[in-house]
Amino acid sequence: MGLTSRSLLYTVAFAAVLCVALMVWVWPRLSGKGPLPVLGRLGSILLTQLSIMAVVLLAVNANVGFFGTWNQLLGRVDKAPVNVVEMNTGGPRATVDESRNGLIQPTDGENVESFPGYPKGPEDKVGAIRSVRVIGKRSQAVNPAYVYLPPQYFQKQYQRTRFPVMVAVSGYPGGRASVARNLRVPLNAARLLEEKKMSPTVIVMLAPTIASPRDTECVDVPDGPQAETFFTKDLPEALRSAYRVGDHATSWGVLGYSSGGTCALQLALRAPEVYPVAASLSGDFRIKNDIATGNLFGSGDKAEERKREHDLMWRLENKPVPPVSLLVATSRKGEKNYEATEQFVRAAQGKGMDVAQIVLPEGSHGFKTWQQEIGETMRWMSRKLTFPQDVQDRPKKH
């Protein structure tokens, strides 16, 4: 049974109820004196508490999406296979070109059909969500993802069209399930398309870390995981090899919540030639080491320099500012990053950047707040991305 499956949650809940009933039944028989009855009572209490705690933890994980699979929970990181195909550098893309040996490989979904917004009906009417893993040629990373394909992707009049891309990044320790289910990105995409408030867009949903359970924060760690390389080089290459998506950066944007929002801002300011549009929901403006990240910047003379390079306030003051479009979202009450967000917006003014804000009067660092913000964020980003881009009429090479 999957870690987030309802069958596992119901099974453990049933076992917890049995444990409670068993303890009530056996407790009078353990009322005697001596070591054995005492050990029996302690064992009954421990077993009951563990079973109840297991139900609570499974329910919280299923709702928030901290860990999507048993392998993520146990820290088993998938390794990139040796059999990797070269990227298709030209010509029209197939409608969907996922393959077992490609840079985008199909996988089994994690209860995708139960997520809000999961397409039900013909693909050319409602679109589709693909469960895949993305193979990083340079980073040697393998990152599970959901890819949302809008209904227009399957329609005849768009069969030679490249679509814009939104890369939606979860917080830590969330993952693709958090973006799809808790942030409701597919649900909002379907609604915005129906209301004609968003262009048809391919959306890829994934986690910011490429070395779970370590929080790599979209940083190229010296002698460690190359998360920035994965997002700026491997991910665009893989998506272009399998889907009809834009070749030019004007059709690419990245958004995220919490540490995923931090990642989005970092990618836009550090790699504007890849992601010139970014949106951050409750993200931070600098990256720091903590227990989950470990040492992200290495040691020696270069360590402090690398750390400064990931401080966006420092970059605004000391680096040429690229002409990117950014959206930052926060709340006046309930969000710790409100002052930092206001400081960033003030510092960005007059720097040649296009900066927009969503400021709620009251909110929290959680999905209840981000669900209020994500629809308008996607609408804003869609206005910034170029659509359509025609596909070159040349034969595919493989």
Side-chain angles (χ1 to χ4, degrees):
M1 289 181 281
L3 183 60
T4 59
S5 67
R6 292 184 180 181
S7 56
L8 176 64
L9 179 60
Y10 293 157
T11 300
V12 175
F14 180 71
V17 172
L18 284 182
C19 286
V20 172
L22 182 62
M23 188 180 74
V24 171
W25 179 76
V26 79
W27 193 262
R29 293 162 177 78
L30 299 173
S31 59
K33 297 180 179 180
L36 288 180
V38 171
L39 288 175
R41 291 195 294 272
L42 289 175
S44 298
I45 293 171
L46 179 62
L47 181 62
T48 303
Q49 293 296 319
L50 286 175
S51 64
I52 294 172
M53 184 60 66
V55 174
V56 172
L57 292 175
L58 284 171
V60 170
N61 184 65
N63 183 60
V64 179
F66 289 129
F67 300 98
T69 66
W70 290 107
N71 284 336
Q72 279 188 324
L73 178 64
L74 299 174
R76 296 172 183 166
V77 181
D78 198 359
K79 301 296 183 182
V82 176
N83 190 3
V84 176
V85 299
E86 292 294 326
M87 170 186 155
N88 176 37
T89 56
R93 277 67 171 174
T95 301
V96 174
D97 191 26
E98 301 139 349
S99 69
R100 290 291 172 188
N101 298 321
L103 298 178
I104 298 289
Q105 300 180 355
T107 63
D108 294 331
E110 299 166 9
N111 297 327
V112 187
E113 63 277 359
S114 67
F115 295 169
Y118 181 80
K120 294 178 175 63
E123 292 177 337
D124 62 346
K125 301 294 184 184
V126 298
I129 297 178
R130 307 292 192 190
S131 175
V132 302
R133 62 176 188 165
V134 182
I135 309 300
K137 287 170 57 177
R138 298 168 185 81
S139 62
Q140 291 296 292
V142 179
N143 207 351
Y146 289 129
V147 178
Y148 169 81
L149 301 172
Q152 290 82 0
Y153 193 93
F154 304 96
Q155 295 171 6
K156 188 174 181 179
Q157 62 268 38
Y158 293 97
Q159 64 184 355
R160 294 183 58 251
T161 300
R162 294 191 187 119
F163 290 81
V165 179
M166 290 184 190
V167 176
V169 187
S170 76
Y172 177 86
R176 60 179 187 169
S178 297
V179 181
R181 175 177 53 202
N182 301 320
L183 196 59
R184 301 175 181 173
V185 165
L187 179 66
N188 279 280
R191 176 181 62 81
L192 291 169
L193 281 172
E194 186 177 354
E195 296 174 355
K196 302 189 184 305
K197 294 179 179 178
M198 173 178 162
S199 298
T201 303
V202 172
I203 305 173
V204 57
M205 297 161 269
L206 71 177
T209 179
I210 62 167
S212 182
R214 185 179 183 181
D215 181 10
T216 48
E217 289 277 350
C218 293
V219 172
D220 278 353
V221 181
D223 300 318
Q226 302 294 288
E228 186 174 46
T229 294
F230 174 84
F231 278 95
T232 58
K233 293 183 172 64
D234 291 337
L235 180 61
E237 177 182 34
L239 290 172
R240 287 175 177 135
S241 75
Y243 303 104
R244 298 195 317 274
V245 295
D247 282 333
H248 197 271
T250 56
S251 60
W252 285 70
V254 56
L255 63 89
Y257 66 88
S258 191
S259 58
T262 305
C263 179
L265 295 177
Q266 293 279 336
L267 293 174
L269 288 177
R270 290 176 56 83
E273 73 282 1
V274 182
Y275 301 107
V277 182
S280 169
L281 311 184
S282 303
D284 294 323
F285 301 93
R286 57 176 56 89
I287 292 176
K288 298 180 288 187
N289 291 329
D290 57 31
I291 295 175
T293 65
N295 186 356
L296 294 173
F297 308 109
S299 57
D301 297 338
K302 292 281 188 180
E304 282 302 314
E305 180 183 341
R306 295 189 190 102
K307 188 175 181 180
R308 283 196 305 271
E309 291 281 341
H310 288 278
D311 184 330
L312 299 188
M313 293 299 298
W314 181 88
R315 293 186 71 89
L316 288 182
E317 296 169 1
N318 297 277
K319 289 278 190 179
V321 178
V324 294
S325 295
L326 304 179
L327 183 147
V328 288
T330 187
S331 304
R332 287 190 179 87
K333 292 183 179 180
E335 268 288 8
K336 293 181 179 180
N337 78 333
Y338 173 70
E339 292 297 333
T341 302
E342 292 295 298
Q343 183 184 2
F344 178 81
V345 171
R346 287 194 298 268
Q349 290 175 349
K351 298 283 188 177
M353 289 193 302
D354 175 19
V355 181
Q357 277 185 287
I358 295 176
V359 181
L360 299 181
E362 192 170 324
S364 63
H365 197 80
F367 285 107
K368 206 165 188 180
T369 297
W370 301 327
Q371 286 168 5
Q372 290 180 262
E373 300 165 338
I374 186 60
E376 189 58 32
T377 298
M378 293 171 66
R379 181 183 178 186
W380 171 87
M381 183 167 287
S382 183
R383 294 199 303 268
K384 300 293 181 180
L385 302 180
T386 301
F387 174 79
Q389 291 190 354
D390 289 336
V391 174
Q392 297 293 321
D393 191 14
R394 288 186 291 171
K396 201 170 183 180
K397 294 182 180 180
H398 64 274

